[in-house]
């Protein structure tokens, strides 16, 4: 984001080390001053030139909007709670498109002259390349993903088709991948992952556009979305001892060879990714005082291993030390678990 907060005690909090900027209206201002402060921040926080206007002549005393933004290479995320306001822009051919997830209902939302009642959870594409506006007299709470259109290969005709689609929240890609990403993006440390998020979001959006419009997409453009979906499936099922590469092949509708090439740039291939998650689960169970009275066989079963020897081999392979040494040295256990968690990407 281009916003640089002023140096004052009541200024928005900025975290340049993780590329996030948090904003809330400073205290001690009159309602009119609050609105002007918000107008200045909002116009600086996104790439498209935007101006805000009041929906009423006077700003309510309770006016207190807020936002949290993350700026990454080729994309931006803004989580905004907006008071009643009208927003206008002049259009910018280099601007990206917004995918907006409305977290609160907006009974009188109007976008570029088209009015509708927005329910909580609605997902919309908003085209910023042409002049437009939105009017939300009741305010809104939303998470907005903005991506450079050129990165998605979207032309004006494609965007118009997307604009004409009904609410897409029930689309499997939206429900299973994009909404969880938008809902969980505020987790600690995500700013450090910004350089890796752009290709993931791009791949998700490419897959979504291809799915919604029944248009073919290049396999390389779908790669990251497929990797994310498969990893999510593995994380959900790794404690099941029946989960193996064949189960992932069946889930993904890919051959073993195609699955191998899909994960060729990942830290772990699929079988090792499953084993790493099980090993991490075992290490965390071993470090939990409440499980000390459980047998090692019980912990192996709870972690998804088919046997205690399989868990012993996995711990040795992942940590470089034996299961007994891990048990006898809590500090080493903690360090090895943290290292493994980082490799897995958790």
């Amino acid at each position: 984001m281009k916003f640089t907060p002023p140096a004052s005690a009541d200024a928005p909090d900025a975290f340049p080390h993780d590329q996030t900027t948090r904003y809330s209206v400073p205290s001690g201002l009159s309602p009119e001053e609050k609105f002007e402060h918000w107008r200045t921040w909002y116009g600086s926080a996104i790439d498209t030139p935007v101006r805000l206007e009041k929906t009423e002549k006077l700003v309510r005393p309770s006016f207190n909007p807020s936002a949290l933004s993350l700026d990454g290479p080729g994309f931006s995320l803004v989580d905004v709670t907006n008071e009643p306001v009208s927003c206008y822009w002049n259009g910018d051919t280099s601007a990206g498109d917004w995918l907006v997830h409305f977290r609160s209902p907006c009974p009188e939302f109007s976008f570029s002259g088209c009015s509708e009642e927005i329910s909580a959870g609605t997902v919309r594409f908003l085209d910023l390349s042409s002049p437009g506006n939105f009017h939300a007299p009741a305010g809104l709470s939303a998470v907005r993903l903005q991506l450079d259109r050129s990165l998605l290969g979207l032309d004006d005709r494609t965007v118009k088709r997307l604009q004409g689609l009904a609410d897409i929240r029930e689309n499997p890609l939206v429900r299973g991948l994009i909404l969880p990403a938008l809902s969980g993006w505020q987790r600690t440390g995500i700013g450090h992952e910004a350089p890796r998020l752009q290709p993931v979001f791009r791949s998700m959006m490419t897959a979504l556009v291809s799915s919604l419009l029944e248009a073919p997409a290049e396999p390389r453009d779908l790669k990251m979305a497929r990797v994310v979906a498969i990893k999510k499936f593995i994380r959900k099922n790794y404690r099941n001892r029946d989960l193996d590469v064949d189960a992932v092949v069946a889930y993904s509708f890919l051959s073993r060879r195609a699955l191998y090439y899909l994960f060729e740039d990942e830290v772990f291939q699929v079988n090792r990714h499953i084993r790493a998650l099980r090993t991490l689960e075992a290490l965390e169970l071993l470090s939990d005082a409440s499980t000390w009275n459980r047998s090692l066989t019980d912990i192996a079963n709870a972690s998804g291993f088919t046997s205690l020897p399989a868990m012993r081999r996995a711990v040795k392979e992942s940590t470089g030390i034996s299961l007994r040494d891990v048990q006898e040295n809590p500090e080493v256990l903690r360090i090895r678990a943290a290292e493994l968690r980082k490799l897995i990407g958790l």
Side-chain angles (χ1 to χ4, degrees):
M1 298 301 165
K2 296 178 291 184
F3 175 66
T4 302
S8 71
D10 293 321
D13 299 321
F15 305 94
H17 63 279
D18 64 2
Q19 298 173 286
T20 59
T21 301
R22 189 183 305 274
Y23 175 85
S24 59
V25 176
S27 59
L29 301 180
S30 69
E32 292 294 324
E33 290 172 331
K34 285 183 177 181
F35 180 82
E36 290 304 321
H37 206 282
W38 174 245
R39 184 210 301 265
T40 300
W41 184 88
Y42 198 93
S44 302
I46 61 174
D47 294 332
T48 303
V50 165
R51 74 177 190 275
L52 298 180
E53 300 295 345
K54 297 188 289 289
T55 57
E56 301 173 1
K57 291 183 178 180
L58 296 176
V59 181
R60 299 182 306 178
S62 59
F63 182 79
N64 192 37
S66 63
L68 181 65
S69 64
L70 169 67
D71 191 23
F75 77 95
S76 63
L77 276 167
V78 178
D79 189 337
V80 60
T81 299
N82 208 336
E83 296 285 333
V85 74
S86 290
C87 174
Y88 301 86
W89 60 91
N90 294 325
D92 183 349
T93 55
S94 65
D97 295 294
W98 288 354
L99 181 74
V100 182
H101 172 218
F102 293 89
R103 298 195 305 187
S104 66
C106 192
E108 300 178 59
F109 185 79
S110 174
F111 179 78
S112 295
C114 298
S115 298
E116 61 178 315
E117 181 176 343
I118 297 289
S119 58
T122 296
V123 181
R124 285 283 187 269
F125 279 98
L126 303 184
D127 177 15
L128 305 181
S129 63
S130 302
N133 66 87
F134 71 74
H135 179 65
L140 61 91
S141 175
V143 183
R144 183 178 71 231
L145 167 63
Q146 180 178 357
L147 273 167
D148 185 340
R149 180 182 298 186
S150 64
L151 296 177
L152 298 177
L154 300 183
D155 55 23
D156 291 341
R157 183 178 179 182
T158 303
V159 172
K160 289 186 184 302
R161 291 180 65 193
L162 289 172
Q163 298 266 145
L165 292 174
D167 186 357
I168 61 173
R169 79 183 103 175
E170 292 305 318
N171 179 277
L173 279 165
V174 173
R175 187 175 65 248
L177 285 178
I178 295 175
L179 283 185
L182 293 180
S183 298
W185 79 269
Q186 294 187 36
R187 62 185 175 80
T188 302
I190 195 168
H192 296 292
E193 302 174 22
R196 295 192 296 142
L197 289 175
Q198 192 273 341
V200 173
F201 277 129
R202 175 179 180 266
S203 182
M204 286 181 178
M205 296 292 287
T206 301
L208 176 61
V209 171
S210 176
S211 171
L212 291 172
L213 302 182
E214 299 181 353
E218 290 291 332
R220 63 178 178 272
D221 293 331
L222 301 176
K223 180 176 180 179
M224 291 301 299
R226 285 180 171 175
V227 168
V228 169
I230 290 171
K231 285 184 175 181
K232 181 180 178 182
F233 171 76
I234 293 172
R235 284 198 301 272
K236 183 178 179 181
N237 295 283
Y238 71 87
R239 295 182 184 90
N240 184 339
R241 290 188 292 170
D242 292 330
L243 181 70
D244 56 15
V245 176
D246 288 336
V248 178
V249 166
Y251 164 80
S252 64
F253 294 100
L254 296 172
S255 66
R256 275 178 167 265
R257 184 180 181 86
L259 188 62
Y260 172 82
Y261 282 117
L262 187 66
F263 274 72
E264 63 181 340
D265 296 325
E266 299 300 308
V267 175
F268 298 122
Q269 268 295 327
V270 172
N271 59 336
R272 292 191 61 203
H273 189 76
I274 296 172
R275 190 159 61 250
L277 283 168
R278 288 171 174 165
T279 303
L280 179 60
E281 178 78 358
L283 293 177
E284 292 183 339
L285 287 174
L286 288 167
S287 66
D288 186 352
S290 65
T291 66
W292 285 354
N293 60 343
R294 297 174 68 171
S295 69
L296 290 179
T297 298
D298 188 22
I299 289 176
N301 292 335
S303 303
F305 290 104
T306 55
S307 66
L308 177 54
M311 184 175 76
R312 291 185 187 277
R313 289 193 298 271
V315 170
K316 178 69 173 179
E317 176 186 318
S318 298
T319 66
I321 55 179
S322 69
L323 180 58
R324 174 177 293 182
D325 290 338
V326 167
Q327 286 181 277
E328 294 176 350
N329 194 328
E331 181 62 18
V332 169
L333 191 157
R334 184 189 65 79
I335 293 172
R336 294 294 187 267
E339 292 172 348
L340 187 55
R341 188 180 298 108
K342 184 176 181 180
L343 283 174
I344 297 172
L346 298 179

